[in-house]
């Protein structure tokens, strides 16, 4: 059994490595999100312990990118207590379990064993809003029976909006989740929403992506 730890705090990373090695696991440690994503893509791990706040790329984005690549390795997220990030969100991005810091190593090891027994996660479910559908596993978007070709960025953007269908989503949220919090002008979000509308709405005379003035956007849960 080979486990990947993605954690930038050296003391926590070391404690995890020692705890896991003592139980006979082979362990790799990465201290950056982007590097962790690369490792998890290039090598087959049996489980990943993934911190949320990481340099390079945050843990939610790492998790979502892995799931979008069809990599269903069980993921245990490490979330900060009272942080800006919440656990439900972690699970939404495709994590299998989470622990809040500070955590007990004994409890973490027990839950990790449970994850390993359970094996890889199910395929992510297809998202739907009326006749608009998005299959994250096959990366297919459809309006009715029409298959719509989306770029990876458009796909992530629509996926996040569909995930939160019916709710207002701020541009800042989109920058954080779709662009991994890169320094970005909010006008870029607007440009991408425009691209999406020209693909999923305009040809069908629909308006699934609504603009909410002063906030951002909302995906109409009935598909527009
Ligand atoms: Ca961290």
């Amino acid at each position: 059994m080979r486990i990947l730890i993605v954690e930038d705090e050296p003391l926590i990373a070391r404690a995890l490595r020692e705890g896991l090695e003592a139980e006979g696991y082979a362990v790799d440690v990465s201290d950056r999100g982007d590097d962790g994503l690369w490792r998890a893509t290039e090598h087959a791990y049996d489980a990943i312990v993934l911190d949320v706040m990481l340099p390079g790329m945050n843990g939610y984005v790492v998790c979502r990118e892995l799931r979008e690549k069809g990599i269903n390795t069980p993921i245990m997220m490490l979330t900060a207590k009272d942080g800006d990030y919440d656990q439900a969100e972690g699970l939404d991005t495709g994590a299998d379990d989470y622990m809040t810091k500070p955590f007990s190593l004994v409890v973490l090891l027990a839950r990790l064993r449970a994850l390993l027994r359970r094996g890889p996660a199910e395929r992510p479910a297809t998202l739907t809003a009326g006749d608009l559908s998005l299959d994250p596993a096959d990366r297919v978007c459809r309006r009715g029976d029409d298959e719509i070709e989306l770029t990876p960025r458009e796909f992530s953007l629509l996926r996040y909006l569909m995930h939160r269908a019916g709710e207002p989503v701020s541009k800042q949220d989109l920058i954080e989740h779709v662009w991994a919090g890169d320094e970005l002008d909010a006008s870029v979000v607007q440009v991408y929403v425009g691209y999406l509308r020209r693909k999923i709405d305009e040809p069908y005379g629909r308006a699934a992506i609504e603009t909410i003035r002063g906030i951002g956007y909302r995906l109409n849960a009935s598909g527009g």
Side-chain angles (χ1 to χ4, degrees):
M1 291 276 188
R2 190 166 201 91
I3 316 267
L4 175 64
I5 297 169
V6 190
E7 168 62 83
D8 60 320
E9 286 155 69
L11 289 177
I12 298 180
R14 198 175 73 196
L16 282 171
R17 177 199 277 277
E18 288 174 358
L20 288 166
E21 284 179 348
E23 299 222 340
Y25 298 110
V27 179
D28 289 334
V29 177
S30 172
D31 62 1
R32 291 182 59 87
D34 43 7
D35 176 69
L37 173 63
W38 179 81
R39 284 171 192 255
T41 308
E42 296 297 311
H43 308 284
Y45 289 99
D46 297 290
I48 301 168
V49 179
L50 180 61
D51 188 28
V52 170
M53 300 294 275
L54 288 165
M57 179 182 279
N58 82 48
Y60 292 144
V61 178
V62 173
C63 187
R64 201 176 54 231
E65 298 247 334
L66 286 172
R67 297 310 188 224
E68 284 183 7
K69 288 172 196 284
I71 296 167
N72 287 330
T73 310
I75 294 177
M76 163 83 71
M77 291 283 252
L78 302 179
T79 62
K81 197 179 177 201
D82 300 327
D84 294 334
Y85 298 89
D86 67 80
Q87 293 148 352
E89 192 167 19
L91 296 176
D92 278 353
T93 60
D96 300 272
D97 198 1
Y98 61 83
M99 298 274 304
T100 305
K101 290 180 179 175
F103 53 81
S104 140
L105 188 59
V106 175
V107 174
L108 182 135
L109 290 172
R111 299 215 340 220
L112 200 56
R113 279 194 296 270
L115 272 189
L116 287 164
R117 275 198 302 272
R118 222 155 71 193
E122 300 283 313
R123 285 161 58 97
T126 297
L127 298 163
T128 57
D131 62 350
L132 188 63
S133 72
L134 200 69
D135 178 345
D138 292 339
R139 301 194 61 83
V140 173
C141 172
R142 286 199 174 81
R143 176 64 101 174
D145 292 331
D146 284 4
E147 194 169 317
I148 299 171
E149 210 166 299
L150 300 178
T151 65
R153 187 75 76 189
E154 291 163 357
F155 193 92
S156 308
L157 176 59
L158 182 59
R159 184 177 185 184
Y160 190 71
L161 287 170
M162 287 184 75
H163 213 77
R164 295 188 50 186
E167 282 176 49
V169 179
S170 71
K171 288 180 185 171
Q172 196 50 45
D173 266 3
L174 291 170
I175 290 172
E176 255 166 53
H177 291 268
V178 180
W179 279 268
D182 292 347
E183 289 283 313
L184 198 72
D185 193 282
S187 63
V188 175
V189 176
Q190 206 172 319
V191 168
Y192 274 85
V193 166
Y195 293 156
L196 263 185
R197 282 177 168 147
R198 285 200 280 282
K199 291 185 176 181
I200 66 165
D201 278 343
E202 287 169 18
Y204 304 92
R206 308 285 287 277
I209 306 175
E210 303 162 350
T211 299
I212 304 186
R213 281 179 70 90
I215 299 178
Y217 304 94
R218 174 171 53 211
L219 190 108
N220 187 316
S222 61

